[in-house]
Amino acid sequence: MFCTITDIEQFLQTTIPPERVTSVHRAITEATAAIRNYCHQTISRVLADTVTLDVPPCRWNLFLPELPVIGVSAVIEDGMALVAGVDYKLADHGVLWRVGRNWTAGVQIVSVMYAHGHDPIPDDVAAICTRASARAY
């Protein structure tokens, strides 16, 4: 979740009574989900995520879907494990470059295990979540 009950209490300058904690928690959960859906990003840190990608013909770079990319721990292309720095390189903005040749074209042909996201949540995202949750509360 992108904010806390304390964040909402401070924003509203009030104390949430115990019987209302469940509804505030629900508001935070829903605001967090809405932000994730809108951005098409998890946003919070994920240490071991796996994505399987389609590769169009003649492609030498692939864009990982979640940003920021913290690191790549494994890349499998058409059933073969690749070696970082030899077979592929991770560039800025979550771009995987194939070294010396194009990626093998195909549907669901490249799997990447990687870490991504923010820890802590950026202040602007937490503020949006706090305001949305406070409105819902």
mmCIF file of all heavy atoms in Angstrom, residues 23-57:
data_model
loop_
_atom_site.group_PDB
_atom_site.id
_atom_site.type_symbol
_atom_site.label_atom_id
_atom_site.label_comp_id
_atom_site.label_asym_id
_atom_site.label_seq_id
_atom_site.Cartn_x
_atom_site.Cartn_y
_atom_site.Cartn_z
ATOM 1 N N SER A 23 -12.531 0.613 7.337
ATOM 2 C CA SER A 23 -12.941 1.372 6.149
ATOM 3 C C SER A 23 -11.784 2.209 5.596
ATOM 4 O O SER A 23 -11.657 2.372 4.382
ATOM 5 C CB SER A 23 -14.162 2.246 6.444
ATOM 6 O OG SER A 23 -13.871 3.209 7.422
ATOM 7 N N VAL A 24 -10.916 2.733 6.475
ATOM 8 C CA VAL A 24 -9.751 3.481 5.997
ATOM 9 C C VAL A 24 -8.783 2.531 5.291
ATOM 10 O O VAL A 24 -8.240 2.862 4.231
ATOM 11 C CB VAL A 24 -9.047 4.218 7.159
ATOM 12 C CG1 VAL A 24 -7.756 4.860 6.686
ATOM 13 C CG2 VAL A 24 -9.964 5.256 7.758
ATOM 14 N N HIS A 25 -8.589 1.355 5.859
ATOM 15 C CA HIS A 25 -7.704 0.365 5.245
ATOM 16 C C HIS A 25 -8.225 0.000 3.842
ATOM 17 O O HIS A 25 -7.460 -0.100 2.880
ATOM 18 C CB HIS A 25 -7.604 -0.864 6.132
ATOM 19 C CG HIS A 25 -6.664 -1.918 5.646
ATOM 20 N ND1 HIS A 25 -5.745 -1.718 4.649
ATOM 21 C CD2 HIS A 25 -6.491 -3.210 6.018
ATOM 22 C CE1 HIS A 25 -5.066 -2.831 4.430
ATOM 23 N NE2 HIS A 25 -5.507 -3.749 5.244
ATOM 24 N N ARG A 26 -9.534 -0.163 3.727
ATOM 25 C CA ARG A 26 -10.129 -0.468 2.418
ATOM 26 C C ARG A 26 -9.905 0.687 1.441
ATOM 27 O O ARG A 26 -9.583 0.475 0.273
ATOM 28 C CB ARG A 26 -11.615 -0.750 2.566
ATOM 29 C CG ARG A 26 -12.274 -1.055 1.245
ATOM 30 C CD ARG A 26 -13.724 -1.393 1.390
ATOM 31 N NE ARG A 26 -14.313 -1.552 0.069
ATOM 32 C CZ ARG A 26 -15.574 -1.809 -0.148
ATOM 33 N NH1 ARG A 26 -16.403 -1.965 0.853
ATOM 34 N NH2 ARG A 26 -16.027 -1.927 -1.371
ATOM 35 N N ALA A 27 -10.071 1.919 1.906
ATOM 36 C CA ALA A 27 -9.853 3.088 1.043
ATOM 37 C C ALA A 27 -8.410 3.130 0.544
ATOM 38 O O ALA A 27 -8.159 3.428 -0.627
ATOM 39 C CB ALA A 27 -10.204 4.369 1.793
ATOM 40 N N ILE A 28 -7.458 2.827 1.409
ATOM 41 C CA ILE A 28 -6.042 2.810 1.016
ATOM 42 C C ILE A 28 -5.787 1.711 -0.010
ATOM 43 O O ILE A 28 -5.106 1.928 -1.012
ATOM 44 C CB ILE A 28 -5.136 2.631 2.251
ATOM 45 C CG1 ILE A 28 -5.221 3.865 3.152
ATOM 46 C CG2 ILE A 28 -3.690 2.366 1.836
ATOM 47 C CD1 ILE A 28 -4.564 3.667 4.517
ATOM 48 N N THR A 29 -6.333 0.536 0.237
ATOM 49 C CA THR A 29 -6.162 -0.590 -0.684
ATOM 50 C C THR A 29 -6.732 -0.251 -2.065
ATOM 51 O O THR A 29 -6.096 -0.514 -3.092
ATOM 52 C CB THR A 29 -6.849 -1.852 -0.117
ATOM 53 O OG1 THR A 29 -6.258 -2.166 1.144
ATOM 54 C CG2 THR A 29 -6.717 -3.036 -1.052
ATOM 55 N N GLU A 30 -7.906 0.349 -2.103
ATOM 56 C CA GLU A 30 -8.536 0.701 -3.373
ATOM 57 C C GLU A 30 -7.785 1.821 -4.086
ATOM 58 O O GLU A 30 -7.634 1.790 -5.317
ATOM 59 C CB GLU A 30 -9.996 1.075 -3.147
ATOM 60 C CG GLU A 30 -10.844 -0.132 -2.761
ATOM 61 C CD GLU A 30 -12.269 0.231 -2.369
ATOM 62 O OE1 GLU A 30 -12.601 1.440 -2.286
ATOM 63 O OE2 GLU A 30 -13.057 -0.702 -2.138
ATOM 64 N N ALA A 31 -7.302 2.810 -3.343
ATOM 65 C CA ALA A 31 -6.533 3.900 -3.963
ATOM 66 C C ALA A 31 -5.220 3.371 -4.534
ATOM 67 O O ALA A 31 -4.813 3.755 -5.634
ATOM 68 C CB ALA A 31 -6.274 5.009 -2.947
ATOM 69 N N THR A 32 -4.564 2.493 -3.796
ATOM 70 C CA THR A 32 -3.318 1.884 -4.275
ATOM 71 C C THR A 32 -3.577 1.114 -5.568
ATOM 72 O O THR A 32 -2.833 1.246 -6.549
ATOM 73 C CB THR A 32 -2.709 0.969 -3.199
ATOM 74 O OG1 THR A 32 -2.383 1.761 -2.051
ATOM 75 C CG2 THR A 32 -1.478 0.247 -3.695
ATOM 76 N N ALA A 33 -4.638 0.316 -5.591
ATOM 77 C CA ALA A 33 -4.977 -0.458 -6.798
ATOM 78 C C ALA A 33 -5.299 0.469 -7.972
ATOM 79 O O ALA A 33 -4.877 0.203 -9.102
ATOM 80 C CB ALA A 33 -6.157 -1.381 -6.511
ATOM 81 N N ALA A 34 -5.999 1.561 -7.724
ATOM 82 C CA ALA A 34 -6.342 2.497 -8.794
ATOM 83 C C ALA A 34 -5.087 3.140 -9.377
ATOM 84 O O ALA A 34 -4.969 3.288 -10.600
ATOM 85 C CB ALA A 34 -7.294 3.570 -8.265
ATOM 86 N N ILE A 35 -4.143 3.501 -8.529
ATOM 87 C CA ILE A 35 -2.890 4.096 -9.005
ATOM 88 C C ILE A 35 -2.113 3.083 -9.837
ATOM 89 O O ILE A 35 -1.607 3.398 -10.913
ATOM 90 C CB ILE A 35 -2.052 4.611 -7.822
ATOM 91 C CG1 ILE A 35 -2.754 5.804 -7.159
ATOM 92 C CG2 ILE A 35 -0.641 4.991 -8.270
ATOM 93 C CD1 ILE A 35 -2.196 6.177 -5.803
ATOM 94 N N ARG A 36 -2.018 1.851 -9.348
ATOM 95 C CA ARG A 36 -1.313 0.805 -10.101
ATOM 96 C C ARG A 36 -1.976 0.567 -11.453
ATOM 97 O O ARG A 36 -1.295 0.437 -12.473
ATOM 98 C CB ARG A 36 -1.274 -0.490 -9.300
ATOM 99 C CG ARG A 36 -0.273 -0.474 -8.191
ATOM 100 C CD ARG A 36 -0.257 -1.781 -7.434
ATOM 101 N NE ARG A 36 0.870 -1.793 -6.519
ATOM 102 C CZ ARG A 36 0.901 -2.454 -5.382
ATOM 103 N NH1 ARG A 36 -0.144 -3.184 -5.005
ATOM 104 N NH2 ARG A 36 1.963 -2.417 -4.618
ATOM 105 N N ASN A 37 -3.292 0.483 -11.469
ATOM 106 C CA ASN A 37 -4.013 0.250 -12.726
ATOM 107 C C ASN A 37 -3.811 1.402 -13.702
ATOM 108 O O ASN A 37 -3.605 1.183 -14.899
ATOM 109 C CB ASN A 37 -5.505 0.041 -12.466
ATOM 110 C CG ASN A 37 -5.788 -1.290 -11.827
ATOM 111 O OD1 ASN A 37 -5.008 -2.234 -11.927
ATOM 112 N ND2 ASN A 37 -6.907 -1.376 -11.132
ATOM 113 N N TYR A 38 -3.873 2.620 -13.217
ATOM 114 C CA TYR A 38 -3.708 3.787 -14.072
ATOM 115 C C TYR A 38 -2.309 3.831 -14.683
ATOM 116 O O TYR A 38 -2.147 4.119 -15.864
ATOM 117 C CB TYR A 38 -3.980 5.067 -13.273
ATOM 118 C CG TYR A 38 -3.839 6.311 -14.106
ATOM 119 C CD1 TYR A 38 -4.882 6.727 -14.932
ATOM 120 C CD2 TYR A 38 -2.666 7.054 -14.099
ATOM 121 C CE1 TYR A 38 -4.762 7.860 -15.718
ATOM 122 C CE2 TYR A 38 -2.531 8.185 -14.877
ATOM 123 C CZ TYR A 38 -3.573 8.588 -15.688
ATOM 124 O OH TYR A 38 -3.431 9.699 -16.474
ATOM 125 N N CYS A 39 -1.297 3.530 -13.862
ATOM 126 C CA CYS A 39 0.099 3.599 -14.319
ATOM 127 C C CYS A 39 0.550 2.345 -15.052
ATOM 128 O O CYS A 39 1.616 2.346 -15.674
ATOM 129 C CB CYS A 39 1.037 3.833 -13.128
ATOM 130 S SG CYS A 39 0.767 5.407 -12.311
ATOM 131 N N HIS A 40 -0.200 1.274 -14.955
ATOM 132 C CA HIS A 40 0.205 -0.024 -15.508
ATOM 133 C C HIS A 40 1.563 -0.440 -14.930
ATOM 134 O O HIS A 40 2.418 -0.976 -15.643
ATOM 135 C CB HIS A 40 0.248 -0.024 -17.042
ATOM 136 C CG HIS A 40 -1.050 0.325 -17.666
ATOM 137 N ND1 HIS A 40 -2.116 -0.526 -17.694
ATOM 138 C CD2 HIS A 40 -1.460 1.455 -18.280
ATOM 139 C CE1 HIS A 40 -3.131 0.041 -18.303
ATOM 140 N NE2 HIS A 40 -2.761 1.253 -18.661
ATOM 141 N N GLN A 41 1.760 -0.160 -13.653
ATOM 142 C CA GLN A 41 3.007 -0.473 -12.962
ATOM 143 C C GLN A 41 2.688 -0.940 -11.548
ATOM 144 O O GLN A 41 1.730 -0.459 -10.930
ATOM 145 C CB GLN A 41 3.913 0.769 -12.857
ATOM 146 C CG GLN A 41 4.420 1.292 -14.174
ATOM 147 C CD GLN A 41 5.539 0.439 -14.719
ATOM 148 O OE1 GLN A 41 6.558 0.241 -14.071
ATOM 149 N NE2 GLN A 41 5.362 -0.050 -15.920
ATOM 150 N N THR A 42 3.506 -1.842 -11.015
ATOM 151 C CA THR A 42 3.372 -2.251 -9.627
ATOM 152 C C THR A 42 3.822 -1.121 -8.703
ATOM 153 O O THR A 42 3.279 -0.916 -7.639
ATOM 154 C CB THR A 42 4.207 -3.525 -9.365
ATOM 155 O OG1 THR A 42 3.751 -4.537 -10.259
ATOM 156 C CG2 THR A 42 4.054 -4.008 -7.944
ATOM 157 N N ILE A 43 4.836 -0.399 -9.091
ATOM 158 C CA ILE A 43 5.449 0.750 -8.424
ATOM 159 C C ILE A 43 6.270 0.337 -7.211
ATOM 160 O O ILE A 43 7.422 0.709 -7.089
ATOM 161 C CB ILE A 43 4.447 1.863 -8.074
ATOM 162 C CG1 ILE A 43 3.783 2.380 -9.363
ATOM 163 C CG2 ILE A 43 5.130 2.990 -7.311
ATOM 164 C CD1 ILE A 43 2.642 3.338 -9.146
ATOM 165 N N SER A 44 5.714 -0.444 -6.282
ATOM 166 C CA SER A 44 6.484 -0.872 -5.113
ATOM 167 C C SER A 44 7.504 -1.942 -5.497
ATOM 168 O O SER A 44 7.383 -2.601 -6.532
ATOM 169 C CB SER A 44 5.562 -1.369 -4.004
ATOM 170 O OG SER A 44 4.683 -2.349 -4.478
ATOM 171 N N ARG A 45 8.522 -2.116 -4.680
ATOM 172 C CA ARG A 45 9.644 -3.014 -4.960
ATOM 173 C C ARG A 45 9.188 -4.464 -5.053
ATOM 174 O O ARG A 45 8.449 -4.957 -4.209
ATOM 175 C CB ARG A 45 10.677 -2.856 -3.845
ATOM 176 C CG ARG A 45 11.919 -3.708 -3.944
ATOM 177 C CD ARG A 45 12.909 -3.318 -5.027
ATOM 178 N NE ARG A 45 13.207 -1.912 -5.137
ATOM 179 C CZ ARG A 45 14.231 -1.291 -4.567
ATOM 180 N NH1 ARG A 45 15.064 -1.940 -3.814
ATOM 181 N NH2 ARG A 45 14.406 0.010 -4.775
ATOM 182 N N VAL A 46 9.631 -5.135 -6.096
ATOM 183 C CA VAL A 46 9.444 -6.574 -6.291
ATOM 184 C C VAL A 46 10.827 -7.135 -6.577
ATOM 185 O O VAL A 46 11.479 -6.728 -7.537
ATOM 186 C CB VAL A 46 8.483 -6.879 -7.465
ATOM 187 C CG1 VAL A 46 8.356 -8.385 -7.671
ATOM 188 C CG2 VAL A 46 7.125 -6.246 -7.233
ATOM 189 N N LEU A 47 11.289 -8.064 -5.738
ATOM 190 C CA LEU A 47 12.663 -8.542 -5.856
ATOM 191 C C LEU A 47 12.855 -9.681 -6.846
ATOM 192 O O LEU A 47 13.941 -9.844 -7.386
ATOM 193 C CB LEU A 47 13.188 -8.957 -4.479
ATOM 194 C CG LEU A 47 13.312 -7.813 -3.476
ATOM 195 C CD1 LEU A 47 13.765 -8.335 -2.126
ATOM 196 C CD2 LEU A 47 14.258 -6.744 -3.997
ATOM 197 N N ALA A 48 11.826 -10.465 -7.084
ATOM 198 C CA ALA A 48 11.967 -11.612 -7.992
ATOM 199 C C ALA A 48 10.696 -11.761 -8.810
ATOM 200 O O ALA A 48 9.810 -12.531 -8.465
ATOM 201 C CB ALA A 48 12.266 -12.887 -7.216
ATOM 202 N N ASP A 49 10.608 -11.013 -9.888
ATOM 203 C CA ASP A 49 9.469 -11.075 -10.790
ATOM 204 C C ASP A 49 9.925 -11.725 -12.088
ATOM 205 O O ASP A 49 11.071 -11.551 -12.503
ATOM 206 C CB ASP A 49 8.957 -9.661 -11.066
ATOM 207 C CG ASP A 49 7.558 -9.635 -11.651
ATOM 208 O OD1 ASP A 49 6.934 -10.707 -11.767
ATOM 209 O OD2 ASP A 49 7.079 -8.537 -11.980
ATOM 210 N N THR A 50 9.051 -12.476 -12.716
ATOM 211 C CA THR A 50 9.375 -13.088 -13.994
ATOM 212 C C THR A 50 8.359 -12.639 -15.031
ATOM 213 O O THR A 50 7.163 -12.647 -14.779
ATOM 214 C CB THR A 50 9.378 -14.629 -13.892
ATOM 215 O OG1 THR A 50 10.335 -15.024 -12.922
ATOM 216 C CG2 THR A 50 9.722 -15.265 -15.226
ATOM 217 N N VAL A 51 8.876 -12.233 -16.169
ATOM 218 C CA VAL A 51 8.030 -11.840 -17.284
ATOM 219 C C VAL A 51 8.462 -12.639 -18.504
ATOM 220 O O VAL A 51 9.646 -12.893 -18.694
ATOM 221 C CB VAL A 51 8.118 -10.314 -17.542
ATOM 222 C CG1 VAL A 51 9.509 -9.902 -17.923
ATOM 223 C CG2 VAL A 51 7.134 -9.873 -18.593
ATOM 224 N N THR A 52 7.484 -13.081 -19.289
ATOM 225 C CA THR A 52 7.769 -13.793 -20.530
ATOM 226 C C THR A 52 7.287 -12.916 -21.679
ATOM 227 O O THR A 52 6.148 -12.457 -21.686
ATOM 228 C CB THR A 52 7.083 -15.173 -20.547
ATOM 229 O OG1 THR A 52 7.530 -15.904 -19.402
ATOM 230 C CG2 THR A 52 7.437 -15.940 -21.796
ATOM 231 N N LEU A 53 8.194 -12.670 -22.612
ATOM 232 C CA LEU A 53 7.952 -11.677 -23.654
ATOM 233 C C LEU A 53 7.844 -12.292 -25.046
ATOM 234 O O LEU A 53 8.536 -13.263 -25.358
ATOM 235 C CB LEU A 53 9.104 -10.665 -23.664
ATOM 236 C CG LEU A 53 9.382 -9.956 -22.338
ATOM 237 C CD1 LEU A 53 10.696 -9.216 -22.406
ATOM 238 C CD2 LEU A 53 8.236 -9.022 -22.003
ATOM 239 N N ASP A 54 7.004 -11.684 -25.856
ATOM 240 C CA ASP A 54 6.961 -11.975 -27.283
ATOM 241 C C ASP A 54 8.056 -11.131 -27.940
ATOM 242 O O ASP A 54 8.333 -10.015 -27.510
ATOM 243 C CB ASP A 54 5.622 -11.565 -27.896
ATOM 244 C CG ASP A 54 4.441 -12.332 -27.316
ATOM 245 O OD1 ASP A 54 4.647 -13.409 -26.737
ATOM 246 O OD2 ASP A 54 3.303 -11.831 -27.452
ATOM 247 N N VAL A 55 8.670 -11.671 -28.988
ATOM 248 C CA VAL A 55 9.726 -10.933 -29.687
ATOM 249 C C VAL A 55 9.396 -10.909 -31.175
ATOM 250 O O VAL A 55 9.328 -11.947 -31.819
ATOM 251 C CB VAL A 55 11.113 -11.586 -29.463
ATOM 252 C CG1 VAL A 55 12.178 -10.811 -30.221
ATOM 253 C CG2 VAL A 55 11.439 -11.677 -27.984
ATOM 254 N N PRO A 56 9.194 -9.693 -31.715
ATOM 255 C CA PRO A 56 8.967 -9.593 -33.160
ATOM 256 C C PRO A 56 10.274 -9.833 -33.915
ATOM 257 O O PRO A 56 11.358 -9.770 -33.332
ATOM 258 C CB PRO A 56 8.468 -8.156 -33.352
ATOM 259 C CG PRO A 56 8.892 -7.412 -32.144
ATOM 260 C CD PRO A 56 9.076 -8.403 -31.034
ATOM 261 N N PRO A 57 10.205 -10.105 -35.208
ATOM 262 C CA PRO A 57 11.422 -10.344 -35.996
ATOM 263 C C PRO A 57 12.368 -9.138 -35.986
ATOM 264 O O PRO A 57 11.942 -7.996 -35.861
ATOM 265 C CB PRO A 57 10.897 -10.588 -37.410
ATOM 266 C CG PRO A 57 9.466 -10.984 -37.237
ATOM 267 C CD PRO A 57 8.990 -10.276 -36.011
#
